[in-house]
Amino acid sequence: MTMRIFANGLFAGIIAGILVVLLQYLLTEPLILEAEEYESGAKVHFAGLAEPGVMHDHGANAAADAPAAPEEGEESVAARFSLAFAADFVVYVAWGLILSALISVAVAKGHKISLQTGLLWGLAGFVAVHIAPGVGLAPELPGIPAADLNARQLWWIGTVLAAAAAMGLFAFAQNPVGIAVGIALLVIPHVIGAPHLAQLAGLAPPSLAGEYVARSYAVAMAGWSLLGLATGWLWSRPADPAPVPVPVEDR
Amino acid sequence: MTTTTLARENTRENTTSVSLFGVAGAILTALVLLYFSGFAEAAKYHDSAHDTRHTLAFPCH
């Protein structure tokens, strides 16, 4: 069982990771690179009104950030993409391991896993990891100033955990109290409120940021759907397809 | 006890018990992977995973 949790999570994560890499390359990378042209000042939205470079303060990391400035060659872009794509696999293998671990508990409790239920698990993951925190902290282009990083990370983690618990209650609690607690878990983080700056700002045009949010959700929904399908498929296969017959002598 | 009944019992045992070690191990492994890919602030990890963090909507910067 332990090996199966790891093997299924790893395999499903790699399958979903391939799709996410492809979609990131086609959909979000072009917008990230374009946003960095506004961030670096190569392009200026409302030319003359914005001051390039002031919105994206990384403190000590400033020099090391934005690894592919426009003057850098194709080689560094290739290196940047390969690192980003490797990170996609790391993230999706991690989600695959968590999904696989949780599904193993459901299987042990007698719940049937199929492609269809796997897809539901994946969509629940998409809601918990993207929709729930995204309502408070929308996916952001580089160059958009935001509140304190640690505060946002803490809020994000709490919101994802609460939403994941809510998904579990919706799926498995067979009573109104469980459903009510689930709804409360979804709502409470937004009553507390995500950390935000008092004023909105940003160097990239709002239309670019809007396009980016839509594409980021598309990538995430595709990735989580495939992750759920793959995990469901792997867990629906027989646990031990070819048991080695052990000769046992009758005594 | 015959060969077939033994195999069947093993299979049933595999599918009805929660592997706490497996569940905890997989989740811990996943949290370590997520920490370095999505949260670690050191420039080395931030820069490598920068575009992924933006694409997958982890809080970044």
Side-chain angles (χ1 to χ4, degrees):
Chain A
M1 194 72 158
T2 299
M3 273 310 295
R4 217 175 162 215
I5 294 172
F6 276 90
N8 288 359
L10 181 69
F11 193 30
I14 289 171
I15 292 173
I18 293 170
L19 179 67
V20 170
V21 163
L22 184 71
L23 292 177
Q24 177 171 336
Y25 177 72
L26 292 174
L27 295 178
T28 57
E29 283 291 355
L31 302 188
I32 290 173
L33 295 178
E34 190 174 350
E36 285 181 354
E37 289 183 39
Y38 287 97
E39 196 181 356
S40 69
K43 282 187 183 175
V44 180
H45 178 228
F46 286 125
L49 296 179
E51 207 178 318
V54 296
M55 300 299 203
H56 194 58
D57 185 12
H58 281 67
N61 295 343
D65 191 55
E71 67 267 18
E72 284 180 81
E74 274 177 26
E75 206 171 304
S76 66
V77 173
R80 170 185 180 156
F81 279 7
S82 25
L83 283 170
F85 296 156
D88 281 330
F89 282 106
V90 174
V91 170
Y92 268 84
V93 164
W95 294 133
L97 287 172
I98 291 175
L99 205 55
S100 188
L102 296 176
I103 286 178
S104 81
V105 177
V107 168
K109 300 277 176 205
H111 293 281
K112 203 180 163 298
I113 297 296
S114 62
L115 267 181
Q116 285 87 346
T117 50
L119 179 60
L120 284 176
W121 277 89
L123 290 173
F126 168 66
V127 171
V129 174
H130 290 274
I131 298 289
V135 170
L137 294 173
E140 276 184 343
L141 279 172
I144 296 176
D148 176 62
L149 177 62
N150 290 333
R152 281 182 295 133
Q153 287 179 331
L154 196 64
W155 186 87
W156 188 93
I157 292 168
T159 305
V160 169
L161 285 175
M167 294 299 112
L169 286 168
F170 292 156
F172 298 111
Q174 305 288 331
N175 57 68
V177 177
I179 305 294
V181 172
I183 292 171
L185 284 171
L186 282 180
V187 171
I188 287 169
H190 301 286
V191 174
I192 295 169
H196 278 289
L197 294 177
Q199 283 189 314
L200 295 176
L203 294 168
S207 46
L208 191 69
E211 200 177 348
Y212 183 77
V213 170
R215 290 185 180 194
S216 171
Y217 277 127
V219 174
M221 190 167 176
W224 272 97
S225 299
L226 186 56
L227 186 71
L229 285 169
T231 318
W233 173 65
L234 290 166
W235 275 102
S236 67
R237 297 162 79 228
D240 203 355
V244 182
V246 184
V248 179
E249 286 177 25
D250 287 319
R251 290 183 185 179
Chain B
M1 191 185 284
T2 63
T3 309
T4 41
T5 52
L6 188 69
R8 200 176 298 142
E9 276 175 18
N10 279 343
T11 310
R12 192 175 299 151
E13 208 172 310
N14 280 345
T15 51
T16 51
S17 65
V18 179
S19 164
L20 276 181
F21 178 77
V23 170
I27 289 178
L28 273 178
T29 309
L31 292 181
V32 170
L33 295 177
L34 286 175
Y35 172 74
F36 285 111
S37 55
F39 292 92
E41 286 177 57
K44 185 180 164 189
Y45 302 112
H46 168 270
D47 294 351
S48 306
H50 176 266
D51 295 1
T52 295
R53 290 184 186 189
H54 277 282
T55 295
L56 303 181
F58 287 102
C60 196
H61 303 310

